[in-house]
């Protein structure tokens, strides 16, 4: 009973987007997911919309009951002393809208006084949605499995690009949070709809 309650708690905390839907992941996979998410949580979790989007992409990969419609196994290995095979790497297809929204909701998020995404992209000047997904897929410390992300809207003979329900901006509030990003965590959250006020729009009171 305790392991089941632990599984439910981890699923609710990491993947609230599934609600009461049936999922396709076991306790070991959830623990693996939680372990990898903790490696990047300290950079992004203070911004609720960004963190929700970031978790969504991996929750869909690990637990979605529709996994086979948007991803395929690239490599497997045999378990010693067992006939079973375990997947080592995957290919995941995403719509461009999904990839861009993921990036846009996180691109202004701050960590340690600087933009957080370049820390994940390993580049301060060339971090975009393609570079972000490439780094996530190749970085064994951040992603539960090695993953090749295919970005585009074209369907092939096997898989269809995933279009999940994600947020576009850091000032939006996801369903599992009470508040949006603070000004300290994402500066554009300070301004309605992300519009920076004019330099001369402030009113001053002189003594």
């Amino acid at each position: 009973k305790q392991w089941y309650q632990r599984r439910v708690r981890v699923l609710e905390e990491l993947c609230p987007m599934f609600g009461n839907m049936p999922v396709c992941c076991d306790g070991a996979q959830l623990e693996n997911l939680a372990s990898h998410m903790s490696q990047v949580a300290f950079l992004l979790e203070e911004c609720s919309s960004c963190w929700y989007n970031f978790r969504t992409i991996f929750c869909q990969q690990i637990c979605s009951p529709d996994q086979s419609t948007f991803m395929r196994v690239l490599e497997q290995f045999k378990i010693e002393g067992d006939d079973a095979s375990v997947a080592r790497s995957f290919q995941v297809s995403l719509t461009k809208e999904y990839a861009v929204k993921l990036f846009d909701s996180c691109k202004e998020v701050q960590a340690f006084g600087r933009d957080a995404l370049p820390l994940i992209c390993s580049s301060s000047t060339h971090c975009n949605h393609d570079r972000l997904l490439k780094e996530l897929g190749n970085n064994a410390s951040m992603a539960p499995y090695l993953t090749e992300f295919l970005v585009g809207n074209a369907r092939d003979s096997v898989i269809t690009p995933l279009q999940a329900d994600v947020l576009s901006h850091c000032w939006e509030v996801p369903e599992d949070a009470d508040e949006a990003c603070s000004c300290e965590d994402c500066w554009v959250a300070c301004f309605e709809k992300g519009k920076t006020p004019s330099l001369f729009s402030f009113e001053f009171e002189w003594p």
Side-chain angles (χ1 to χ4, degrees), residues 53-64:
N53 287 353
F54 191 89
R55 286 177 292 150
T56 295
I57 196 170
F58 291 111
C59 286
Q60 291 288 343
Q61 181 181 355
I62 304 303
C63 295
S64 172

Side-chain angles (χ1 to χ4, degrees), residues 130-180:
D130 286 321
R131 178 69 179 265
L132 175 64
L133 291 172
K134 183 176 180 180
E135 288 296 324
L136 289 177
N138 290 333
N139 194 323
S141 66
M142 296 183 189
Y145 300 95
L146 293 175
T147 304
E148 177 188 355
F149 290 103
L150 301 178
V151 178
N153 299 328
R155 174 176 180 165
D156 68 15
S157 60
V158 179
I159 55 178
T160 302
L162 172 65
Q163 176 59 70
D165 184 17
V166 290
L167 305 172
S168 301
H169 308 289
C170 72
W171 63 84
E172 295 179 278
V173 184
E175 59 186 30
D176 68 328
D178 297 322
E179 298 180 351

Side-chain angles (χ1 to χ4, degrees), residues 24-199:
C24 189
C25 50
D26 58 26
Q29 289 173 311
L30 282 171
E31 293 292 346
N32 184 37
L33 177 62
S35 175
H36 283 83
M37 291 298 93
S38 69
Q39 301 300 310
V40 75
F42 71 99
L43 292 175
L44 304 177
E45 68 179 346
E46 294 302 320
C47 185
S48 57
S49 56
C50 166
W51 184 229
Y52 180 87
N53 287 353
F54 191 89
R55 286 177 292 150
T56 295
I57 196 170
F58 291 111
C59 286
Q60 291 288 343
Q61 181 181 355
I62 304 303
C63 295
S64 172
D66 301 317
Q67 291 167 335
S68 62
T69 65
F70 60 83
M71 72 184 223
R72 60 164 66 90
V73 175
L74 293 179
E75 185 181 3
Q76 302 180 75
F77 65 93
K78 290 283 188 180
I79 299 176
E80 187 175 351
D82 197 331
D83 293 332
S85 295
V86 176
R88 189 193 305 272
S89 62
F90 296 90
Q91 192 175 65
V92 173
S93 180
L94 307 171
T95 64
K96 184 173 182 179
E97 179 186 12
Y98 186 176
V100 170
K101 282 185 175 181
L102 168 65
F103 179 80
D104 284 351
S105 67
C106 296
K107 66 183 179 182
E108 308 291 356
V109 173
Q110 301 290 297
F112 309 112
R114 57 182 296 186
D115 291 341
L117 285 192
L119 298 175
I120 299 174
C121 284
S122 302
S123 171
S124 60
T125 58
H126 297 97
C127 189
N128 55 29
H129 66 273
D130 286 321
R131 178 69 179 265
L132 175 64
L133 291 172
K134 183 176 180 180
E135 288 296 324
L136 289 177
N138 290 333
N139 194 323
S141 66
M142 296 183 189
Y145 300 95
L146 293 175
T147 304
E148 177 188 355
F149 290 103
L150 301 178
V151 178
N153 299 328
R155 174 176 180 165
D156 68 15
S157 60
V158 179
I159 55 178
T160 302
L162 172 65
Q163 176 59 70
D165 184 17
V166 290
L167 305 172
S168 301
H169 308 289
C170 72
W171 63 84
E172 295 179 278
V173 184
E175 59 186 30
D176 68 328
D178 297 322
E179 298 180 351
C181 291
S182 67
C183 290
E184 292 77 12
D185 297 314
C186 180
W187 69 268
V188 294
C190 302
F191 309 106
E192 184 178 1
K193 297 181 180 179
K195 294 183 178 178
T196 306
S198 167
L199 180 63

